[in-house]
Amino acid sequence: MDLLRGKVSTPRVGPGLVSRPRLTELLSATPARLVVVSAPPGFGKTSAVVDWVTTAGRRAAWISLDESDNDPGRLVPSLVAVLSGGQPGALVHLGEVGEPVDVAAGLARLLEEPDAPEVLVLDDYQVISDRTVHAVVEALLAALPHDRRLVISTREDPPLRLARLRAAGELVEVRAEQLRFTEAEADQFLRRRMGLTLPLESVAVLTETTEGWPAVLQLVALTLSGRPDAAARAAALAAEHRFVLDYVTEEVLARLDRPTIDFLLRTAHLDRLTGELCDAVTGRTDGAETLRELERANLLLLPLDDQRRWYRFHRLFAELLRTRAGTVAGDVHLRAARWLLDHDLPLEAIGQAVRAGYPASYEVIWRAGALLIHSGELRALQAALDLLPDDVAHHSVLVCLLQGWAGALRGEGAAARGWLDHAARAARDAAPGTDPLAVVQPGLSAQIRSTAARAEGRHAEAVAQAEAALGLLPPGLPPEREVLYRGDALTVLGHALLAAGEVDRAVAAYEEALPLLASVGNRLAVAEMIRNLARIELGRGRPEAALAACDRFPASAGDEPSAALVRLARAEALLALDDPDAAAVARSAMELARSGGDLTTLTEARTLATTRRAGALPLPDGQTLSAREQEVLALMATGRSNARIAAELYVTVGTVKTHVHAIATKLGTANRVEAVARARELHLLA
């Protein structure tokens, strides 16, 4: 998707970039682990970092952060994609990520590859408030290879342990004082970027008046450009009271025609812009051409990709325009939401829909919310819905159910049950026909309660609630909604039964759910169920049946990121059969997992592809490790607990403990830590 490429591409700063050697020297001075570029908007933070990585010839991976990245399940896949050197076509999100230390270790391994980026840039870090995201970044800093650097560009200092890094000489800081233009830089900027030549005394006046603030200097230059009295006007600015940004903005807008002003005021409410999206919100047909004209006119519009399809306004300029635009926002957001949803961007769509106001945005929230639930983008969904006022959210069955689903799937059972209570009241209070989800509220609530109970280990309750959900399917639903309801309910039941140890019944539920969810295009759910079915067969000692299960995944979706789950299961089955193709299939699962940003599957596939085993692996003392013991050993080496290994291999914790004890005994060690160390000495692990 082009929007995702723009998000993870190094920004284009346009023609006439002013190279600033004093900044590039500062950034290159010490081989510090972390670089923090911290200053208010408009100080050229992004341009300075782009100039540095370009001038220094550094391989850089770049992520332009936004509020949706407060979901680790959203950000980590983006990190996997950029650190793997790929451009994501569509990211697969599998819900919550693992422990921050484990996630960071996986990301650090990607950075150890020979062609991996030397610099990782996290731009606009001030939007991050999620503690888990901060913990992942902190852990990544600790695990960073010695020749790699992390750059954080932000409006405010990140809540990381900067003092410790500063004391250890592992931190470079660039702040507003360093980013301000000197007179010489201001003169170069005005000439090269703005095409404005002024006497040096006028440049000095402007530099002093703007305090070297690059974006403000650019706005001032726009007011002076083309005026025969530019030099005199520059002097007048200094004579006035400390000039105000609003005044300069008014001056800039006063020189534009009415259609261009209208375009700016409507599109300023968009986080990112492309021609078609601009046409959708303005009702015009010249969006792409207008964006190109604005870029040529230096109107603080930044291209986000090489093709110049996606842009964004400079943050400072956008904020000023939004303040001026006022009441047009609701209509703009709703039009944008519909366009984004129609172009398979549900996360961006729901963000715009919530800002559009409720209930006007009901349909978009419904469709986008369901897609986000099925793709596991739970935290981002919650964050968007949290923007709705409580008096609106608590009286909408739709919003309450979406919040309930997200909470249950994230393991927040108490919060999920609270939202379900609100949903029940909202359904009772809804006038007939006003809330389409009121009729399915009891059944969907039962599905959510089952999911929450399973996460909390109450397996009997989880099964009972899932069975109740199937019995609560209301008659008369439109066919597609009935198929979706039954498919979801059966999937929930299958997961509950599997967790409860009722494997045969779980298989039956999955078998009934598969064609239903396949018919509505939920390929991620289909891939997860097929992976589970294959692993169940492996747990029964039937690798051929596991391969047959994998063959059921649609061939047409074989190269989609979700197929990584099935390829991993296929590799596991081939390995159990001592098939030499197992490693190659595992590597293909790794590539798909990379493209989808699925760190969990990537790590598991890497372990499987690099573990040396073929049948029973001989040990120096004449004993052997069986194929299953080697599999358990490989998972032990990743730091997984016995419970986690049991869940992944679809065996009991007791079985895992037996394997761990056998491995330690055969290796002559006292515990699992020593066993892993001894296995590495014997080159049993990569």
Side-chain angles (χ1 to χ4, degrees):
M1 176 61 65
D2 289 333
L3 175 56
L4 292 173
R5 290 190 178 94
K7 179 179 173 65
V8 298
S9 297
T10 301
R12 308 298 161 190
V13 293
L17 171 66
V18 176
S19 185
R20 307 171 75 184
R22 63 183 181 86
L23 289 181
T24 57
E25 289 173 10
L26 175 60
L27 289 166
S28 301
T30 354
R33 187 179 297 270
L34 174 65
V35 175
V36 173
V37 184
S38 180
F43 268 88
K45 299 184 291 292
T46 297
S47 297
V49 178
V50 171
D51 186 26
W52 170 56
V53 297
T54 303
T55 303
R58 301 291 187 99
R59 295 190 306 275
W62 195 291
I63 297 184
S64 298
L65 301 169
D66 54 45
E67 284 78 5
S68 69
D69 293 308
N70 276 297
D71 180 4
R74 171 78 173 180
L75 178 58
V76 170
S78 296
L79 287 168
V80 172
V82 299
L83 295 182
S84 300
Q87 295 284 359
L91 298 180
V92 170
H93 306 279
L94 300 174
E96 293 300 284
V97 300
E99 291 298 315
V101 172
D102 296 334
V103 172
L107 296 174
R109 280 195 291 272
L110 295 178
L111 281 166
E112 291 170 355
E113 298 290 337
D115 295 328
E118 299 168 276
V119 178
L120 169 62
V121 182
L122 300 180
D123 201 3
D124 285 321
Y125 196 84
Q126 73 279 347
V127 302
I128 300 299
S129 58
D130 185 86
R131 292 181 180 178
T132 304
V133 172
H134 291 314
V136 168
V137 173
E138 188 92 62
L140 178 58
L141 267 173
L144 211 60
H146 74 279
D147 56 347
R148 302 296 192 246
R149 301 179 81 177
L150 174 65
V151 177
I152 289 178
S153 176
T154 179
R155 296 185 185 181
E156 57 192 44
D157 283 4
L160 307 175
R161 286 174 283 191
L162 299 184
R164 176 183 297 180
L165 291 167
R166 191 180 293 120
E170 293 283 355
L171 174 65
V172 169
E173 299 171 270
V174 179
R175 302 191 177 277
E177 195 56 41
Q178 289 82 31
L179 291 167
R180 297 183 195 280
F181 275 150
T182 64
E183 289 181 19
E185 290 168 344
D187 182 53
Q188 187 183 14
F189 172 77
L190 293 172
R191 292 172 186 272
R192 291 186 54 187
R193 181 70 180 268
M194 305 304 297
L196 180 63
T197 301
L198 293 173
L200 290 180
E201 58 269 22
S202 297
V203 174
V205 165
L206 288 181
T207 306
E208 181 180 358
T209 303
T210 62
E211 296 185 346
W213 195 338
V216 179
L217 187 65
Q218 184 170 353
L219 285 170
V220 172
L222 287 170
T223 71
L224 299 177
S225 183
R227 296 182 63 142
D229 62 342
R233 184 65 187 133
L237 279 171
E240 295 170 357
H241 66 281
R242 183 178 174 80
F243 80 84
V244 180
L245 285 175
D246 287 342
Y247 165 75
V248 177
T249 304
E250 292 291 339
E251 286 280 301
V252 172
L253 296 180
R255 305 184 63 184
L256 302 175
D257 58 58
R258 187 69 244 175
T260 302
I261 293 174
D262 182 69
F263 181 93
L264 289 172
L265 296 181
R266 285 183 169 271
T267 58
H269 291 278
L270 304 174
D271 298 318
R272 297 179 180 87
L273 308 92
T274 192
E276 295 176 13
L277 176 55
C278 291
D279 290 343
V281 303
T282 63
R284 293 160 45 167
T285 58
D286 61 346
E289 180 184 352
T290 303
L291 289 172
R292 287 192 293 269
E293 290 176 355
L294 292 174
E295 183 190 4
R296 284 195 294 268
N298 285 313
L299 261 173
L300 288 93
L301 186 71
L302 307 177
L304 298 177
D305 56 35
D306 290 329
Q307 294 76 33
R308 280 172 158 71
R309 290 200 65 242
W310 285 93
Y311 295 82
R312 71 168 173 85
F313 284 118
H314 192 288
R315 309 277 190 233
L316 178 64
F317 191 48
E319 290 171 8
L320 295 167
L321 290 173
R322 288 169 186 169
T323 300
R324 180 185 172 98
T327 57
V328 304
D331 176 57
V332 166
H333 288 310
L334 187 55
R335 289 176 180 233
R338 289 170 175 159
W339 186 92
L340 290 163
L341 186 59
D342 289 342
H343 288 77
D344 300 319
L345 293 166
L347 180 59
E348 290 74 14
I350 202 164
Q352 292 286 341
V354 167
R355 282 181 269 179
Y358 194 86
S361 56
Y362 184 101
E363 180 185 356
V364 175
I365 293 178
W366 183 359
R367 292 169 56 201
L371 289 171
L372 293 173
I373 289 292
H374 284 137
S375 64
E377 297 197 55
L378 309 174
R379 181 65 189 93
L381 173 62
Q382 289 177 307
L385 295 177
D386 284 344
L387 297 176
L388 290 169
D390 287 348
D391 61 339
V392 171
H394 292 170
H395 291 84
S396 165
V397 178
L398 166 64
V399 174
C400 294
L401 289 176
L402 288 176
Q403 289 276 27
W405 266 122
L409 290 168
R410 294 190 73 211
E412 300 169 352
R417 288 185 285 273
W419 281 107
L420 295 183
D421 292 341
H422 289 306
R425 285 192 291 271
R428 287 195 302 268
D429 296 342
T434 59
D435 198 323
L437 286 186
V439 66
V440 292
Q441 176 271 321
L444 291 180
S445 291
Q447 291 184 38
I448 296 169
R449 292 184 190 281
S450 172
T451 302
R454 175 166 55 88
E456 295 169 350
R458 302 194 311 276
H459 299 307
E461 180 184 343
V463 172
Q465 289 285 355
E467 291 172 334
L470 280 169
L472 289 169
L473 174 63
L477 284 181
E480 184 173 337
R481 286 183 60 195
E482 180 176 345
V483 166
L484 182 60
Y485 180 101
R486 283 191 59 79
D488 284 345
L490 285 163
T491 303
V492 170
L493 177 59
H495 292 338
L497 289 166
L498 188 58
E502 298 188 48
V503 177
D504 290 337
R505 292 185 62 200
V507 170
Y510 285 153
E511 293 289 357
E512 191 175 350
L514 272 171
L516 299 176
L517 291 183
S519 70
V520 296
N522 190 346
R523 285 176 171 165
L524 179 56
V526 169
E528 288 178 315
M529 282 189 285
I530 287 177
R531 178 202 58 191
N532 288 1
L533 288 170
R535 285 180 167 175
I536 287 170
E537 296 295 355
L538 279 174
R540 292 169 166 170
R542 298 168 52 186
E544 294 89 349
L547 289 175
C550 294
D551 289 339
R552 299 171 61 184
F553 191 69
S556 60
D559 291 327
E560 294 181 2
S562 60
L565 301 171
V566 180
R567 293 227 188 143
L568 175 60
R570 179 180 296 278
E572 291 168 345
L574 291 171
L575 196 60
L577 290 168
D578 294 333
D579 192 307
D581 290 337
V585 174
R587 286 192 291 270
S588 71
M590 287 170 57
E591 293 308 313
L592 285 179
R594 278 196 183 102
S595 68
D598 179 359
L599 183 61
T600 300
T601 301
L602 173 60
T603 302
E604 292 178 1
R606 184 196 299 275
T607 299
L608 191 150
T610 57
T611 300
R612 295 180 54 197
R613 55 185 200 129
L617 189 66
L619 299 175
D621 59 7
Q623 299 194 69
T624 59
L625 289 181
S626 69
R628 178 60 93 181
E629 287 169 348
Q630 293 172 55
E631 194 165 13
V632 171
L633 175 61
L635 293 172
M636 286 166 53
T638 67
R640 284 170 168 77
S641 66
N642 288 347
R644 177 79 180 273
I645 295 173
E648 293 187 16
L649 298 182
Y650 293 92
V651 296
T652 67
V653 174
T655 298
V656 173
K657 288 181 178 178
T658 299
H659 287 311
V660 171
H661 177 73
I663 292 167
T665 300
K666 291 177 180 180
L667 293 174
T669 58
N671 54 52
R672 56 186 290 153
V673 174
E674 292 179 6
V676 169
R678 178 61 176 152
R680 293 197 189 282
E681 291 174 4
L682 295 172
H683 303 291
L684 304 180
L685 295 166

